[in-house]
Amino acid sequence: MSADFLPRVKMGRAVTMLLLLAVISTAILVHLIWQRTASANVDNVVAALDAQSTGAVRNELASQLALVSSTAEIIRSVFFQGAIKPDDEVKREFLFLSLLREQPAIAWIGFGFTDGRFFGSHAAPDGRIEMVEIGKAAPGKPRTLRRDRYKPIPGDIFFEERVKTESAYVTEGASWYRKGKDSTGPAWTVVDILPSGFEPSIVLSKRVEAFGRLEGVVMVAVSLRQLSLTLQGLNIPSESKVYVLAKDDVVLATSEPSDGVMAAHLADFPKTDVLSAAVASARRTHPQSVFRTLQRSDALGPVFISSSALPFEDWRLLTAIPRSTFAGDIDQNTKRVLFIVAGIALLAAVTAIIFARLLFARPLARLARQLHAVERFELDAVSHTPTVLVELNDFSVALKRMSSGLSAFARFMPLDVVRPLVNGGIEPRPGGKLTDITVLFADLPGFTEMTEELGAGVEPHLTRFLTLSIAAIHAEGGTVDKFIGDAVMAIWNAPNDEPDHASRACRAAAAIRDAMHAIPPLAPQHDAVRVRIGINSGTALVGNIGSAERLSYTAIGDAVNLASRLVGVAKDKGVEIVLSGETWERADRRLDARSLGETVVRGKSLPVPIFTLDRKSPPI
């Protein structure tokens, strides 16, 4: 049977039958397996994942709070060892600022003196850093307040302003100061007021002594707002929630406030927050600090709730993770799959493999190889291979027609432009961009007279000139823009980047001239001057110029106009190549060029410096 008379099958119909058979049989088989094995073990798997998630969150939070403790200990040790005196303002500021910038979770690093003074570094909510100093209260007078504001910049900070005013903050009366002063170890305190005003925070304070004498109390604070942001940034499962609770279920932080507001107590969350309601219910039935339970919720289903103690005071970390977070897809898909027929599944699998290989895999592989050949512009490797499926057969025919069209298309445009058009790198619509390029114009001198003398016989000579010119331009990485009668226009540095485009254009010009001198002249009167070339470098608009119906990839602008007019300057100066001073400069003045002085060019208000490339004498 001829290949043109092969039976055709609609690809959509074939795909539908195969996929329907495969999916139904596979779904039934999967249902049987899940029903007997996976469903019985899913709770254990989810419990293990919950334990891992809870442990990871606890470790991350404990690590951050441990950094707070270590920061306070660093300052205490520095003051205790006498490396820096608490009254050494410059060194003290440097130490506090360095530690504050290293720990983004910390809001305050401060020191309360025994005489009531206070100094601290504060990371403000707007990202700025404040250096706050509260002076000693004189009898009958308020405490002085100095606040220096800094804006962080990469690697440093920038001073913005200094504010001097009064402060009502009493360091000696602050709970963190009193607790740290009376404690021999680290003391954790929850406070609402800090030197900046209302700023609910947890504060770690430590007593600082030097030679047995109390020097003051160092404090490191983490705002409860920042602690909540830290919880939000942890890698917890979606639709889950994390709580940090103090004594009596006071909420210090949560990963997701209800309606944008964080309740003060676990029982205060609104009823609409069903996850918090489940946690509160679990706390009522499990008063101990450490527990893990599966709480039932009408809205969410089973919820895994874990409570673990944090190594700070009597704080606890609670996590609430709905079972559906891990097992929702498994439960849903298990309910969808109802029946199993092992034989149908096996038959469907074998049938799908055989038909897919014969109908799809092999033809598509051939088409993919031919598409790669088109991508590489190896158009001769593209051929039509008949297939059974109508769509794939039509695809192969269209691919062959496309390759034939591209072969013809490539003859009318530069390959460097055709390739991006094919792979989508250049959109076929009007538009361009300003690009730094070098432009070359080359034409045959006396072509009009030769046309009158030779008539149609001049065509071989023109073809030979254009062939030599194109070869020289392509050898130097240039793009042939267009042919203008007997002239050729070429550009460098578009569409491909070529940093040395000026030097390349000059080498191409010299190659064109030498190639023209290597062949017999068209006529005796054209022996001395075989070609006229103008070269200029500058910025031009490069891209698809034209209308929506017809486009031409070209360059336009003053730089192009000057290069065209330098061809006429070459004729006036009696030389074959003229390049502008701009091109000579961009070629790093390495060319063996001879200055022709300056010339006035139509359209230019100032004279243009010009150069020529002299032809080397042939060896004797």
Side-chain angles (χ1 to χ4, degrees):
M1 181 182 294
S2 173
D4 294 333
F5 294 95
L6 287 175
R8 311 296 183 195
V9 181
K10 288 287 187 179
M11 185 172 64
R13 187 174 301 171
V15 170
T16 300
M17 291 187 297
L18 291 174
L19 289 181
L20 186 61
L21 182 61
V23 168
I24 292 178
S25 59
T26 303
I28 295 173
L29 178 62
V30 169
H31 172 72
L32 179 63
I33 297 173
W34 284 354
Q35 192 71 24
R36 295 182 177 179
T37 56
S39 297
N41 300 322
V42 68
D43 286 346
N44 294 333
V45 174
V46 173
L49 293 174
D50 166 68
Q52 292 179 6
S53 299
T54 302
V57 172
R58 181 182 182 278
N59 292 338
E60 180 67 21
L61 184 61
S63 176
Q64 292 207 13
L65 294 178
L67 290 176
V68 174
S69 179
S70 63
T71 301
E73 180 59 24
I74 289 173
I75 299 173
R76 190 202 68 80
S77 298
V78 169
F79 287 166
F80 175 78
Q81 297 293 336
I84 296 177
K85 299 291 185 182
D87 287 317
D88 191 337
E89 180 178 351
V90 175
K91 293 181 179 180
R92 179 188 63 198
E93 286 189 6
F94 177 80
L95 175 63
F96 283 19
L97 181 61
S98 299
L99 293 173
L100 185 68
R101 297 190 68 188
E102 283 294 320
Q103 306 296 340
I106 295 177
W108 275 95
I109 297 178
F111 186 81
F113 294 84
T114 55
D115 57 3
R117 290 178 296 144
F118 173 84
F119 173 81
S121 298
H122 177 216
D126 61 358
R128 287 172 169 78
I129 295 176
E130 297 179 334
M131 307 298 287
V132 178
E133 185 171 6
I134 300 175
K136 181 180 178 181
K141 294 185 178 180
R143 300 170 185 263
T144 60
L145 171 65
R146 175 177 63 86
R147 188 189 302 271
D148 292 340
R149 292 177 61 84
Y150 297 86
K151 179 180 180 181
I153 58 176
D156 203 348
I157 56 175
F158 176 78
F159 177 80
E160 286 190 329
E161 63 175 346
R162 168 172 288 181
V163 177
K164 289 186 176 182
T165 181
E166 299 172 355
S167 174
Y169 188 79
V170 180
T171 305
E172 309 98 297
S175 58
W176 62 265
Y177 181 88
R178 297 196 310 271
K179 195 171 182 180
K181 177 183 176 183
D182 299 333
S183 177
T184 58
W188 291 89
T189 313
V190 179
V191 300
D192 292 329
I193 304 298
L194 285 173
S196 59
F198 183 75
E199 188 176 2
S201 304
I202 54 175
V203 181
L204 173 67
S205 55
K206 285 190 176 184
R207 175 187 178 95
V208 178
E209 295 182 352
F211 305 104
R213 186 182 75 251
L214 176 65
E215 293 287 335
V217 177
V218 62
M219 59 88 78
V220 179
V222 176
S223 72
L224 297 186
R225 174 181 172 274
Q226 182 61 42
L227 186 58
S228 293
L229 293 176
T230 299
L231 293 179
Q232 294 173 23
L234 297 179
N235 186 23
I236 61 176
S238 60
E239 302 179 358
S240 303
K241 206 166 183 179
V242 180
Y243 307 80
V244 177
L245 304 181
K247 187 178 180 181
D248 297 328
D249 291 343
V250 173
V251 180
L252 299 180
T254 179
S255 60
E256 185 182 357
S258 298
D259 301 327
V261 178
M262 186 179 72
H265 192 276
L266 187 59
D268 295 337
F269 282 94
K271 294 182 179 180
T272 55
D273 189 346
V274 292
L275 202 58
S276 296
V279 173
S281 177
R283 280 289 300 141
R284 287 192 296 268
T285 56
H286 298 81
Q288 62 271 29
S289 297
V290 179
F291 66 88
R292 177 175 287 115
T293 184
L294 187 64
Q295 186 73 25
R296 299 290 174 177
S297 170
D298 294 336
L300 299 175
V303 179
F304 286 93
I305 299 176
S306 301
S307 175
S308 57
L310 291 172
F312 308 99
E313 298 296 312
D314 56 348
W315 299 348
R316 296 181 305 282
L317 173 69
L318 272 76
T319 59
I321 305 177
R323 179 183 180 277
S324 59
T325 300
F326 298 111
D329 292 338
I330 297 176
D331 294 339
Q332 186 177 9
N333 291 330
T334 301
K335 294 176 182 178
R336 291 176 181 174
V337 183
L338 301 175
F339 305 99
I340 179 170
V341 179
I344 296 178
L346 179 60
L347 177 62
V350 174
T351 303
I353 292 173
I354 294 175
F355 276 86
R357 184 172 183 83
L358 294 178
L359 296 180
F360 302 106
R362 290 181 180 177
L364 286 175
R366 287 195 298 267
L367 289 172
R369 289 194 295 269
Q370 294 192 2
L371 282 172
H372 285 305
V374 172
E375 184 181 10
R376 297 189 299 269
F377 247 75
E378 298 173 356
L379 303 179
D380 294 337
V382 179
S383 61
H384 169 51
T385 304
T387 60
V388 175
L389 295 177
V390 173
E391 288 82 359
L392 293 182
N393 186 74
D394 293 345
F395 189 2
S396 179
V397 172
L399 186 62
K400 176 58 182 176
R401 291 176 180 171
M402 183 182 71
S403 65
S404 301
L406 287 175
S407 296
F409 179 58
R411 297 178 182 272
F412 293 90
M413 291 189 70
L415 282 178
D416 289 337
V417 178
V418 173
R419 287 193 176 97
L421 279 173
V422 173
N423 60 30
I426 296 179
E427 295 186 13
R429 64 181 181 182
K433 65 177 182 178
L434 294 176
T435 307
D436 190 36
I437 63 172
T438 296
V439 188
L440 177 148
F441 282 88
D443 70 359
L444 282 171
F447 182 73
T448 302
E449 292 81 357
M450 285 189 291
T451 302
E452 293 176 352
E453 295 176 7
L454 302 177
V458 77
E459 185 273 333
H461 304 291
L462 177 60
T463 300
R464 181 173 56 180
F465 162 68
L466 295 178
T467 301
L468 294 174
S469 300
I470 292 172
I473 292 167
H474 285 173
E476 290 296 337
T479 299
V480 176
D481 185 291
K482 64 172 67 73
F483 301 112
I484 311 171
D486 64 316
V488 58
M489 173 184 169
I491 60 177
W492 277 261
N493 205 38
N496 299 323
D497 294 333
E498 292 154 343
D500 57 338
H501 50 89
S503 299
R504 287 174 176 265
C506 293
R507 290 197 298 267
I512 294 172
R513 178 195 60 198
D514 295 343
M516 291 298 295
H517 278 276
I519 61 177
L522 301 182
Q525 63 270 29
H526 300 303
D527 186 28
V529 177
R530 303 288 185 89
V531 69
R532 304 281 190 196
I533 299 176
I535 311 173
N536 182 42
S537 301
T539 301
L541 181 65
V542 181
N544 296 319
I545 308 301
S547 66
E549 291 78 18
R550 186 182 180 93
L551 298 173
S552 175
Y553 185 83
T554 186
I556 59 175
D558 183 65
V560 179
N561 297 337
L562 179 57
S564 175
R565 288 166 185 160
L566 290 181
V567 176
V569 174
K571 180 179 179 181
D572 296 339
K573 297 294 184 179
V575 296
E576 293 180 297
I577 301 174
V578 169
L579 55 141
S580 66
E582 182 68 20
T583 299
W584 186 66
E585 291 285 347
R586 291 171 180 260
D588 296 332
R589 304 184 181 183
R590 296 177 182 175
L591 300 174
D592 188 9
R594 174 169 56 89
S595 174
L596 298 178
E598 295 182 341
T599 186
V600 177
V601 179
R602 181 168 56 88
K604 304 293 289 186
S605 59
L606 297 176
V608 177
I610 56 176
F611 296 80
T612 186
L613 301 176
D614 291 326
R615 182 166 171 257
K616 303 296 183 181
S617 300
I620 300 177

